[in-house]
Amino acid sequence: MQGDDPQRLAAVRGSGLMMTQDDPTFDRAARMAARATGSPVALVSVVGAARQHFVGQFGLAGELAARRGSPIRTSCCRLVVTADEPVVVADAAADATLAALAPIDGLPIGAYAGVPLRDADGITLGAVCAVWPVPHVWDDGDVTALEDVASFLQAHLTLRATTRELRGVATTPVAARRRRAGHGCRTLPLPPRRR
């Protein structure tokens, strides 16, 4: 599925993740990704049509950390979304695709490794990635660690989606749901009291 696919963008909007900053799970996941790969920076990004949002971040500072995102023209993570598979680059300057991206102020990218972040339906919303400011050789263990974090987050996103659905159902009065379903309300007899 391509990055600008309408179904994917609808899933991104429906996830509510482009603006979220109130779920610490994503920052924890970024911290785990950084520790597991030994990287100074790790991100959990959601890629929209015009920008990527860092729903989880570790190792960023200053204005970039406060903005929690960047324009799509700077996004390495959109390459993961477009490929729908891991993207691993040891030397960004030597990689024509990464070298062509506009730089992100406050985040020099010398090496990049990212894996797809999928929702409950398996649609790729963004990426879990690790970044070095200088060239760096990634190994299979680094990619596996990022995939493990992405898998954990997919389970978390599934739980979030289910919770949102249940809250929506729970806010609809029971009698109204029964009327829509064609059921009337009825009372059940109480059992006799024991003496």
Side-chain angles (χ1 to χ4, degrees):
M1 187 177 292
Q2 297 299 311
D4 58 357
D5 180 90
Q7 181 186 359
R8 192 195 76 79
L9 291 174
V12 167
R13 285 189 300 275
S15 73
L17 293 175
M18 283 300 286
M19 301 308 292
T20 203
Q21 296 180 26
D22 59 351
D23 188 339
T25 302
F26 296 102
D27 283 337
R28 288 184 188 128
R31 186 169 59 242
M32 286 190 307
R35 287 183 179 158
T37 60
S39 305
V41 173
L43 305 168
V44 178
S45 71
V46 178
V47 178
R51 72 185 289 267
Q52 65 179 349
H53 176 61
F54 304 145
V55 67
Q57 60 184 10
F58 175 83
L60 296 184
E63 188 179 331
L64 182 60
R67 273 197 326 259
R68 295 189 78 96
S70 68
I72 201 69
R73 70 181 187 281
T74 68
S75 175
C76 296
C77 293
R78 86 180 147 110
L79 303 175
V80 174
V81 170
T82 301
D84 202 24
E85 63 183 16
V87 172
V88 180
V89 178
D91 186 351
D95 183 275
T97 305
L98 261 65
L101 295 176
I104 300 176
D105 290 336
L107 182 59
I109 298 178
Y112 174 89
V115 301
L117 171 66
R118 302 184 200 282
D119 70 3
D121 297 318
I123 296 173
T124 301
L125 302 177
V128 176
C129 71
V131 176
W132 279 85
V134 296
H136 173 78
V137 177
W138 306 97
D139 62 32
D140 291 342
D142 295 327
V143 176
T144 299
L146 293 175
E147 288 174 333
D148 287 346
V149 172
S151 179
F152 160 75
L153 286 175
Q154 184 176 16
H156 179 66
L157 290 171
T158 301
L159 181 60
R160 275 175 57 110
T162 302
T163 302
R164 284 171 63 186
E165 285 178 27
L166 290 174
R167 283 187 178 147
V169 169
T171 58
T172 305
V174 172
R177 283 201 315 272
R178 285 186 176 159
R179 278 193 300 276
R180 280 198 309 266
H183 302 292
C185 290
R186 60 189 178 115
T187 58
L188 298 174
L190 294 174
R193 276 185 140 168
R194 291 186 182 188
R195 294 183 182 232

